[in-house]
Amino acid sequence: MDRIQKYLEHIHRLLHDNKIPELTGELADDSLLSQIHDELKIIREVLFAFSSGDFSPTVTIRGIIPGCLKSLQAHLRHLIWQVQMVEKGDFSQEIRFMGEFSTAFNSMVQRLSLSLSKLQEKEETLLDINNKLRKEVERMEILKESEARFKFLASHDPLTGILNRRSFIEMAGVELANAVDLCVPCCLAMMDIDHFKDFNDTYGHLAGDDALRHVVRIVEGGLRKNDFMGRYGGEEFILFFYGADEKTGMKVLERLRNKLSETSIVLETGSVTIRASFGLTGNGREKPKEKGYIQRLIDDADTALYTAKMAGRNRVILYTPELETRRHSVMPKVREDSGFTEDGKTL
């Protein structure tokens, strides 16, 4: 009990004393207490910096309190930016997260905007300036729309309209980093249309393009709110499931696989059913901030996809380390029988 009392007293001093107490003797030998000491020390330093107006410290620990500090830091930084924008004459800024201060700030901005409007009504010169500014804003809006369009084209696949490989990997990296900070599980999956070469040889490449758009429309329609997909190349796609462990990821993929199998594409020659194979892997084996982490997840999902192909296609396989060993030790030949059906007949 004396030892526990010492622990509690030390933590109490960490919370209340102006000076950070040293961790000595038997207290320093306890790893858990040392961890608590170090984390509370960091929290104290960050809070002290905040109290002096310095919002630059990086919160390096995880948990609910550090998470709240990060959120507060982001809000305060954004508030500083908003004040700077108001200083420059942008009276559209509005704060919603600081209670009475938000009300006072928003009221001040509205009054500034109202004062400016009254000045514009009294001064014809200001009216002329305002018209010129309006035209300039319209020109800037056109430029922004053009810029947004160029950015979209640079980050999306032109055929299907979904993310291209580079943009998908960038977005997945950001989502994984956030998920780790919040202790949220995620999954990544590779998807490949079965026998797509046979489809193109049978119906032509224009029909193949229609088939790719058809697959994307069906799969995207079955994704959850925070999930997204991209085109990895050719008939291969990549999917990211936020807030999903491996069990949930398997359920989502099975639902997508069944929905795809049950929805035919209508061509000039008739209805054709398209099927696909999926490989899934979950995050958590490595740190997402490590170099090449996303590519390792993709490789794992691709190994599971390869296994699904070997097992006969039109199925979902979850990655395990054993699949990697099997893939490198045995390279069986994929069956070349067609996976497409037209009017109930195999092509």
Side-chain angles (χ1 to χ4, degrees):
M1 291 298 294
D2 290 341
R3 187 175 183 179
I4 295 175
Q5 183 65 28
K6 290 179 180 180
Y7 288 1
L8 294 175
E9 290 175 355
H10 182 80
I11 295 173
H12 185 270
R13 291 176 61 196
L14 274 170
L15 294 172
H16 294 276
D17 289 2
N18 292 331
K19 184 179 180 181
I20 297 177
E22 296 183 1
L23 196 62
T24 60
E26 61 177 347
L27 299 182
D29 295 333
D30 191 292
S31 60
L32 178 58
L33 182 60
S34 296
Q35 181 181 354
I36 294 173
H37 174 88
D38 293 338
E39 292 181 348
L40 286 177
K41 180 180 177 181
I42 293 174
I43 292 174
R44 281 174 56 118
E45 293 171 347
V46 171
L47 288 174
F48 181 81
F50 284 8
S51 67
S52 62
D54 179 9
F55 306 118
S56 63
T58 301
V59 182
T60 58
I61 56 178
R62 300 173 183 172
I64 182 64
I65 296 178
C68 291
L69 286 177
K70 290 181 182 179
S71 178
L72 175 61
Q73 184 182 49
H75 283 311
L76 291 174
R77 285 178 175 175
H78 186 66
L79 173 60
I80 292 174
W81 176 85
Q82 289 182 297
V83 172
Q84 292 172 341
M85 294 303 294
V86 172
E87 182 184 11
K88 294 178 181 179
D90 178 5
F91 303 122
S92 65
Q93 303 301 319
E94 189 175 43
I95 300 174
R96 299 182 179 274
F97 68 96
M98 295 186 68
E100 294 181 358
F101 177 84
S102 298
T103 302
F105 179 89
N106 296 337
S107 177
M108 177 194 69
V109 173
Q110 291 173 2
R111 287 178 179 274
L112 288 172
S113 179
L114 180 61
S115 298
L116 180 61
S117 298
K118 290 181 178 179
L119 286 173
Q120 289 173 338
E121 293 174 358
K122 295 179 180 179
E123 299 292 338
E124 293 183 0
T125 302
L126 289 178
L127 182 59
D128 293 338
I129 294 175
N130 184 58
N131 290 334
K132 292 179 181 179
L133 288 175
R134 185 180 297 111
K135 291 179 180 179
E136 183 65 19
V137 169
E138 290 175 355
R139 187 180 70 85
M140 292 300 296
E141 288 297 328
I142 294 174
L143 291 176
K144 286 181 180 180
E145 290 178 2
S146 298
E147 182 182 2
R149 179 60 180 167
F150 285 130
K151 287 182 178 179
F152 180 87
L153 293 174
S155 60
H156 289 71
D157 173 52
L159 177 65
T160 61
I162 59 176
L163 294 171
N164 58 30
R165 181 193 301 188
R166 176 182 58 80
S167 297
F168 177 94
I169 291 175
E170 290 178 357
M171 187 172 177
V174 172
E175 293 297 325
L176 275 174
N178 292 336
V180 168
D181 290 338
L182 299 174
C183 299
V184 175
C186 298
C187 287
L188 185 143
M190 295 293 291
M191 166 189 165
D192 188 86
I193 300 176
D194 294 337
H195 303 286
F196 190 66
K197 182 179 183 302
D198 292 340
F199 185 97
N200 278 334
D201 291 343
T202 302
Y203 301 105
H205 289 282
L206 291 179
D209 290 345
D210 289 338
L212 290 173
R213 286 188 286 263
H214 166 80
V215 168
V216 168
R217 184 168 58 253
I218 297 302
V219 173
E220 267 203 318
L223 293 178
R224 304 171 312 154
K225 180 180 179 181
N226 294 323
D227 301 337
F228 56 92
M229 71 181 297
R231 188 177 180 187
Y232 198 68
E235 72 274 20
E236 197 168 23
F237 299 90
I238 187 167
L239 302 98
F240 186 87
F241 303 136
Y242 185 87
D245 55 19
E246 293 176 344
K247 182 178 179 181
T248 301
M250 290 291 288
K251 289 182 179 179
V252 174
L253 289 181
E254 283 291 352
R255 185 178 72 247
L256 296 177
R257 184 186 65 81
N258 289 327
K259 188 174 182 180
L260 189 60
S261 298
E262 295 167 357
T263 309
S264 300
I265 179 173
V266 180
L267 303 176
E268 292 181 357
T269 57
S271 298
V272 180
T273 299
I274 299 176
R275 297 184 176 87
S277 301
F278 300 82
L280 176 75
T281 187
N283 70 325
R285 289 184 300 280
E286 303 170 58
K287 297 180 180 179
K289 296 183 180 179
E290 289 184 357
K291 184 177 181 180
Y293 175 75
I294 297 295
Q295 188 57 52
R296 284 193 288 273
L297 285 181
I298 293 173
D299 291 342
D300 291 347
D302 188 63
T303 295
L305 172 62
Y306 174 86
T307 304
K309 292 286 190 180
M310 296 302 103
R313 300 185 176 88
N314 189 30
R315 64 195 64 216
V316 180
I317 296 294
L318 175 66
Y319 172 83
T320 62
E322 291 76 14
L323 297 182
E324 194 73 45
T325 302
R326 190 185 311 166
R327 178 171 184 175
H328 286 88
S329 61
V330 181
M331 300 292 288
K333 185 178 180 181
V334 181
R335 290 191 299 113
E336 296 298 337
D337 57 313
S338 175
F340 300 98
T341 59
E342 180 181 17
D343 297 330
K345 298 180 181 179
T346 300
L347 297 176

